[in-house]
Amino acid sequence: MSKPLSDHDRKKQISVRGLAGVENVTELKQSFNRHLHFTLVKDRNVATKRDYYFALANTVREHLIGRWIRTQQYYYEKDPKRVYYISLEFYMGRTLQNTMVNLALENACDEAMYQVTHTHYTKMCDIEMGSRSKKACFLDSMASLGLAAYGYGIRYEFGIFNQKIVNGWQVEEADDWLRFGNPWEKARPEYMRPVHFYGRTEHHPDGVKWVDTQVVLALPYDTPVPGYRNNVVNTMRLWSAKAPCEFNLKDFNVGGYIQAVLDRNLAENISRVLYPNDNFFEGKELRLKQEYFVVSATLQDIIRRFKVSKFGSREIARTDFSKLPDKVAIQLNDTHPAMAIPELMRVLVDEEKLSWEKAWDVCVRTCAYTNHTVLPEALERWPVDLFAHLLPRHLEIVYEINRRHLENVAAKFPGDSDRLRRMSLIEESGQKRINMAHLCIVGSHAVNGVAQIHSDILKATIFKDFYEMEPHKFQNKTNGITPRRWLVMCNPGLAEVIAERIGEDFIRDLDQLQTLRNYLNDEGFIRDIAKVKQENKLKFAVHLEEHYKVKINPNSMFDIQVKRIHEYKRQLLNCLHIITYYNRIKKEPNKHWTPRTVMIGGKAAPGYHTAKMIIRLITAIGEVINNDPVVGDRLKVIFLENYRVTLAERAIPAADLSEQISTAGTEASGTGNMKFMLNGALTIGTMDGANVEMAEEAGEDNFFIFGMRVDDVDALEKKGYHAQEYYNRLPELKQAIDQIAGGFFSPKQPELFKEIVNMLMHHDRFKVFADYEDYIKCQEKVNELYKNPKEWTKMVINNIAGCGKFSSDRTITQYAREIWGVEPTLEKLPAPDV
Ligand SMILES: *Cc1c(COP(=O)(O)O)cnc(C)c1O
């Protein structure tokens, strides 16, 4: 058992937010005033809050520049193997606080800002625009582990839409996040690349030419990615589409100069907007263009960097591409960048004149693929017709990859024609389609799922044939989150309380949280943990009351489910519990009921009708329950509007209970589950995704597990799932469904939810009713424990202590060693002079 720190030691050790030294503060103030004057062209009388934010952002940015340049110089000199993480979901924003945390500038900036503007900088952070993609965690860890890594994606002009709730319905608004400019990005027009589309192929004796193409330029914007206090600054490079100057002007069949200039928009639409679908494939040409656009531009960049590297060719007369896999690892985040495989083949074979065999060996050893879902509707299967039109050469290459692949399958499994059909990259039934997951598996040396259970399901189900063919390719990399953003930044109070006991090395090495188990019987620690939670709840309650004009009981259990709205995530199961609890209170209003504030938030894909109806149902339930005087403040239901990273950062530290209730076998991993656990919420969850490993790390006794396991779900599917049986057998379930169906929650439109009820009763793919009974029982156990705050908090401590595994530092370390062939380092680069 480690000795608690003395008060003196504590003060010395606690610099979670960095030190606010006098020189530091003075320099920051000067820089801030300089930027307000010279960069923003404002004086203090007319400066707005946004001006202050931009002046501060520019001030903090200055501290990055030297480190950024030095890091890139260092990579050039040392020429380590580079890691390229390609994702269609990267986008930026909210970099200020993250940068301050990683550069240990938070306290100093706070002090400087307070002295200059009499405003705390956290107020300024409110106006930070845009939200970051999930993969921001990985970028943070790659920089913090000193990997020579790059994030590549698209610089969408419009990110994920903003969600408004109007009369209980979701309404989408465009996210014009670049309107005020982005102080973090730097355009690099000197590295612009041409990307080709359409055209046709010509087969000559000396190779294939792709001709008569239309060209769109890819203009890179770089954003710095600082590591945690190690002076490393990596690059996220996002491509923006630009029409070439001569766009359409050479065509004689267009309406002349004015029309040609107006038509530039058509080309530039490629990077206009992020497709907002979650776990759903929409086979639109523009989306395929986006996917090829990022892949083509990124590969040109990768190959250019390889060629100019010491290793690539500066010391060798001719570029030796057989060395590419020693110097480059490409990670495909889902199948969205799958075109990297045929594109790399096209470059190596058609342009660099490698033999097919040599090129294929290079390609497979360079690329690796991460699968994120097993839901069939999410798997990318592009129609061959669309491909033939947009990327004719790539279609030929895919056919050749497939021909050789099927030869190998036939050699290993002779006479198994059904296996050949199943494993083909080309689906022949109905409209001919290319199965992008199959392409990724064949073209990669590693294929991974994102939680153990998910990786096992891949091998046993959708990729079974491929596993039997090449078992060595299949791996697991359980997801993780960065403790910098999801603890230090969003919950500084909790970070401090932990640091007071065990020092602050856990921020770099989250496994150290284990030592918190030494404090399980430390009354002071239990009190501190409970106090931080209460403070976070009060803060969030104030925010909610301002926002939603409802009175929140801060002593109620904050029961939160925030994630994209999807049938498989089963927000409807949560709704059924809420209604059941409501009916119980109404039936026995004088009994002691554990007070709950249930919050549900998340965006529905704009075209996903059922998801939008689920939101409407949640708001309808809230309207009835929140206005029922019998219930009072013992049950409130709030739909959290516009759930995004900034809202997650407020809500999650305030949560008592985390709802992770997907049907077993459907959620690949989840990362929200980990954020809640790290922030001191208990989880009620199914044995799905990373929940399984979280329960193991916390100890199953410290986890509210309920419902069917994957095997149970499969058995029920085989036997036949009949929702009516549960409806007939469980009176409280029947009552809840009858209320929804009968217009109890929609008295003005009694029929409003008949589609939802019909779905639940007759074609529910996710078997909500089958888990209802166990879920309700498990929620009763949650209520019981909540009545005993000390036992509750002890369980919380057990959960926090088990979080080490879920650091993205651990995830990235495993990718680095087991897939990319690079070794992470915790060594620091030297600090720059400035
Ligand atoms: C972490 C996060 C998610 C992922 O949540 P899951 O519960 O794992 O689906 C989604 N949206 C936002 C804004 C997040 O921060």
Side-chain angles (χ1 to χ4, degrees):
M1 182 154 161
S2 68
K3 221 175 67 193
L5 302 171
S6 72
D7 279 356
H8 176 74
D9 286 342
R10 268 178 212 172
K11 287 218 182 73
K12 264 204 322 208
Q13 293 216 1
I14 299 165
S15 56
V16 169
R17 287 158 51 87
L19 299 171
V22 181
E23 324 83 72
N24 253 344
V25 173
T26 309
E27 190 249 284
L28 287 169
K29 276 158 60 180
Q30 282 168 355
S31 171
F32 177 86
N33 286 324
R34 181 163 44 80
H35 278 296
L36 197 61
H37 187 82
F38 289 104
T39 310
L40 294 154
V41 198
K42 285 279 179 103
D43 67 54
R44 296 261 290 284
N45 300 315
V46 294
T48 63
K49 196 165 124 178
R50 178 168 276 107
D51 294 323
Y52 285 152
Y53 162 77
F54 276 100
L56 177 59
N58 277 288
T59 300
V60 170
R61 198 181 82 115
E62 283 186 345
H63 289 252
L64 279 174
I65 305 294
R67 291 175 167 91
W68 198 5
I69 291 173
R70 288 272 289 265
T71 303
Q72 302 309 312
Q73 275 174 351
Y74 176 79
Y75 291 158
Y76 181 79
E77 289 305 322
K78 192 159 167 260
D79 199 23
K81 183 168 179 178
R82 310 303 210 283
V83 173
Y84 296 99
Y85 198 97
I86 311 180
S87 173
L88 273 280
E89 287 175 16
F90 277 134
Y91 53 106
M92 37 199 173
R94 277 200 79 80
T95 302
L96 175 57
Q97 203 187 354
N98 180 239
T99 305
M100 290 190 295
V101 165
N102 284 11
L103 266 44
L105 286 171
E106 233 189 341
N107 272 337
C109 283
D110 204 14
E111 182 60 31
M113 287 310 93
Y114 197 72
Q115 288 181 21
V116 180
T117 69
H118 307 287
T119 314
H120 283 289
Y121 86 85
T122 39
K123 288 264 157 54
M124 294 177 193
C125 290
D126 290 354
I127 48 161
E128 274 208 73
M129 61 307 173
S131 49
R132 281 181 86 105
S133 90
K134 323 174 207 185
K135 290 298 166 280
C137 283
F138 282 12
L139 295 184
D140 180 84
S141 284
M142 290 191 287
S144 298
L145 292 165
L147 299 184
Y150 303 76
Y152 273 91
I154 294 177
R155 179 181 178 270
Y156 298 109
E157 201 176 315
F158 295 90
I160 184 72
F161 61 88
N162 283 311
Q163 177 193 58
K164 287 270 149 65
I165 299 296
V166 180
N167 301 323
W169 298 95
Q170 166 173 301
V171 174
E172 298 91 24
E173 266 180 14
D175 166 38
D176 191 4
W177 70 287
L178 288 166
R179 187 173 37 208
F180 299 100
N182 174 2
W184 302 103
E185 67 181 11
K186 175 73 185 84
R188 300 277 187 207
E190 67 274 27
Y191 293 120
M192 200 135 69
R193 314 263 158 224
V195 176
H196 298 258
F197 294 101
Y198 305 109
R200 60 193 171 80
T201 61
E202 283 177 355
H203 290 249
H204 300 280
D206 60 334
V208 181
K209 287 202 174 89
W210 181 19
V211 297
D212 295 341
T213 56
Q214 293 181 25
V215 173
V216 178
L217 299 175
L219 169 61
Y221 285 78
D222 289 351
T223 302
V225 181
Y228 182 71
R229 300 186 189 181
N230 63 172
N231 300 315
V232 168
V233 180
N234 283 343
T235 301
M236 175 171 73
R237 176 162 284 183
L238 303 181
W239 302 101
S240 179
K242 284 290 284 177
C245 297
E246 70 277 11
F247 188 78
N248 265 359
L249 284 176
K250 281 180 281 186
D251 281 354
F252 290 98
N253 57 358
V254 294
Y257 169 70
I258 295 293
Q259 195 57 46
V261 174
L262 296 180
D263 285 350
R264 293 170 62 84
N265 266 325
L266 269 31
E268 294 173 1
N269 276 343
I270 289 176
S271 56
R272 197 78 68 202
V273 58
L274 170 75
Y275 275 86
N277 295 328
D278 180 69
N279 281 299
F280 186 77
F281 170 61
E282 190 182 344
K284 288 283 194 301
E285 185 187 64
L286 181 60
R287 172 70 181 192
L288 184 57
K289 276 187 179 170
Q290 290 183 337
E291 295 185 357
Y292 180 65
F293 176 75
V294 63
V295 154
S296 167
T298 302
L299 277 175
Q300 291 179 61
D301 223 28
I302 292 172
I303 289 167
R304 173 196 56 82
R305 200 173 285 121
F306 175 69
K307 283 184 171 176
V308 303
S309 75
K310 290 182 175 177
F311 198 90
S313 69
R314 247 180 31 187
E315 290 171 359
I316 305 168
R318 203 175 122 76
T319 306
D320 179 2
F321 278 99
S322 70
K323 297 291 189 308
L324 188 80
D326 301 330
K327 288 281 142 191
V328 170
I330 297 175
Q331 191 66 36
L332 307 176
N333 179 38
D334 213 321
T335 58
H336 311 148
M339 292 302 295
I341 291 163
E343 173 66 1
L344 183 54
M345 288 300 289
R346 188 189 67 80
V347 171
L348 295 178
V349 173
D350 293 356
E351 295 181 358
E352 303 290 345
K353 305 294 179 195
L354 270 70
S355 70
W356 181 279
E357 290 76 14
K358 208 164 180 180
W360 184 246
D361 174 67
V362 168
C363 178
V364 171
R365 290 198 291 132
T366 303
C367 296
Y369 155 57
T370 306
N371 172 278
H372 288 275
T373 179
V374 296
L375 292 184
E377 65 270 34
L379 301 177
E380 289 195 301
R381 294 149 64 246
W382 286 103
V384 164
D385 297 344
L386 186 56
F387 232 86
H389 183 55
L390 190 67
L391 300 164
R393 177 57 184 145
H394 297 81
L395 182 61
E396 293 175 353
I397 291 171
V398 169
Y399 273 121
E400 180 61 13
I401 293 172
N402 194 40
R403 190 184 65 75
R404 290 165 181 257
H405 157 63
L406 292 180
E407 254 178 34
N408 294 337
V409 176
K412 180 147 182 173
F413 300 97
D416 192 345
S417 66
D418 197 58
R419 183 182 294 263
L420 288 177
R421 182 193 56 75
R422 293 196 308 266
M423 292 183 73
S424 176
L425 309 191
I426 312 292
E427 296 178 1
E428 304 276 356
S429 63
Q431 191 186 26
K432 256 186 157 186
R433 289 167 180 273
I434 305 175
N435 186 313
M436 304 304 271
H438 291 186
L439 173 62
C440 285
I441 298 170
V442 173
S444 300
H445 67 282
V447 177
N448 74 282
V450 288
Q452 189 60 54
I453 190 176
H454 167 62
S455 297
D456 292 342
I457 289 171
L458 291 180
K459 292 193 284 190
T461 64
I462 58 170
F463 299 154
K464 183 165 190 279
D465 294 321
F466 291 88
Y467 176 61
E468 287 167 2
M469 180 80 193
E470 300 181 294
H472 55 276
K473 285 188 177 179
F474 288 78
Q475 301 195 18
N476 172 248
K477 296 287 167 281
T478 299
N479 261 161
I481 54 170
T482 167
R484 273 73 68 184
R485 174 170 299 270
W486 294 110
L487 181 55
V488 178
M489 265 175 69
C490 72
N491 201 342
L494 181 57
E496 292 278 336
V497 165
I498 296 170
E500 278 176 17
R501 298 312 194 286
I502 66 171
E504 59 178 279
D505 284 351
F506 70 93
I507 298 168
R508 245 183 266 278
D509 175 15
L510 206 64
D511 282 327
Q512 292 187 18
L513 289 177
Q514 281 184 35
T515 58
L516 290 178
R517 296 224 160 88
N518 296 336
Y519 298 89
L520 271 171
N521 294 309
D522 179 330
E523 301 284 339
F525 186 59
I526 295 172
R527 206 174 343 100
D528 287 352
I529 292 284
K531 185 163 155 252
V532 168
K533 180 60 73 183
Q534 201 53 37
E535 285 166 3
N536 292 337
K537 287 173 72 173
L538 277 170
K539 229 164 73 184
F540 192 53
V542 169
H543 170 79
L544 288 177
E545 288 181 9
E546 277 172 14
H547 225 84
Y548 299 98
K549 316 275 179 274
V550 296
K551 190 93 193 90
I552 306 281
N553 174 1
N555 296 315
S556 64
M557 182 198 306
F558 282 17
D559 167 352
I560 308 188
Q561 185 179 25
V562 281
K563 46 182 76 251
R564 291 296 293 264
I565 308 292
H566 205 295
E567 285 163 89
Y568 86 82
K569 292 175 184 277
R570 296 201 297 192
Q571 282 89 2
L572 286 172
L573 183 57
N574 194 345
C575 290
L576 291 177
H577 169 251
I578 296 169
I579 296 170
T580 303
Y581 201 51
Y582 170 73
N583 289 333
R584 288 182 181 184
I585 296 173
K586 292 282 279 187
K587 203 168 158 197
E588 294 183 86
N590 297 320
K591 215 176 127 177
H592 176 76
W593 298 101
T594 301
R596 284 202 191 214
T597 303
V598 185
M599 301 170 222
I600 304 178
K603 290 170 182 172
Y608 188 176
H609 175 70
T610 306
K612 289 184 150 177
M613 288 309 298
I614 291 170
I615 291 176
R616 185 66 193 93
L617 177 63
I618 297 163
T619 57
I621 293 170
E623 281 160 35
V624 170
I625 294 181
N626 298 348
N627 295 305
D628 191 326
V630 173
V631 172
D633 66 359
R634 293 181 293 184
L635 181 59
K636 290 280 180 246
V637 181
I638 294 166
F639 188 85
L640 296 175
E641 193 178 322
N642 203 25
Y643 179 61
R644 61 203 186 284
V645 172
T646 39
L647 185 54
E649 289 169 351
R650 289 174 197 269
I652 292 172
D656 293 306
L657 186 66
S658 161
E659 300 269 354
Q660 307 298 338
I661 58 177
S662 52
T663 315
T666 63
E667 186 76 87
S669 160
T671 52
N673 46 3
M674 303 167 186
K675 298 169 195 167
F676 280 99
M677 184 176 176
L678 184 57
N679 281 278
L682 298 184
T683 303
I684 183 165
T686 48
M687 279 299 207
D688 198 20
N691 297 354
V692 177
E693 290 156 79
M694 286 164 47
E696 177 171 353
E697 296 296 311
E700 290 205 5
D701 293 346
N702 299 306
F703 224 76
F704 293 101
I705 301 167
F706 73 95
M708 297 178 286
R709 313 298 200 252
V710 170
D711 289 347
D712 302 321
V713 175
D714 292 345
L716 180 56
E717 179 66 28
K718 228 165 146 193
K719 167 175 152 275
Y721 167 66
H722 301 292
Q724 304 88 321
E725 290 171 8
Y726 302 90
Y727 172 87
N728 293 329
R729 182 162 63 78
L730 304 168
E732 290 184 294
L733 173 61
K734 179 173 189 301
Q735 183 186 8
I737 292 298
D738 290 348
Q739 285 169 320
I740 299 171
F744 184 86
F745 298 106
S746 52
K748 288 182 197 145
Q749 285 167 276
E751 304 272 87
L752 188 57
F753 301 117
K754 70 166 199 285
E755 289 165 321
I756 284 193
V757 169
N758 186 52
M759 182 276 287
L760 287 170
M761 294 289 291
H762 302 293
H763 42 87
D764 175 10
R765 294 169 58 206
F766 302 104
K767 305 180 172 60
V768 170
F769 291 4
D771 276 338
Y772 168 84
E773 191 178 15
D774 202 25
Y775 179 55
I776 300 290
K777 281 198 188 128
C778 197
Q779 291 283 20
E780 289 167 10
K781 287 192 221 157
V782 173
N783 283 341
E784 280 312 303
L785 186 69
Y786 196 75
K787 289 180 191 161
N788 187 340
K790 198 168 139 191
E791 288 305 310
W792 180 279
T793 304
K794 278 193 183 184
M795 204 181 271
V796 164
I797 295 168
N798 269 308
N799 272 266
I800 297 173
C803 275
K805 181 174 181 184
F806 307 104
S807 167
S808 46
D809 297 343
R810 188 272 312 150
T811 312
I812 290 298
T813 300
Q814 290 183 327
Y815 275 98
R817 291 186 178 144
E818 297 160 22
I819 297 182
W820 303 330
V822 295
E823 186 57 30
T825 166
L826 286 176
E827 272 168 53
K828 289 184 190 178
L829 289 185
D833 315 324
V834 158

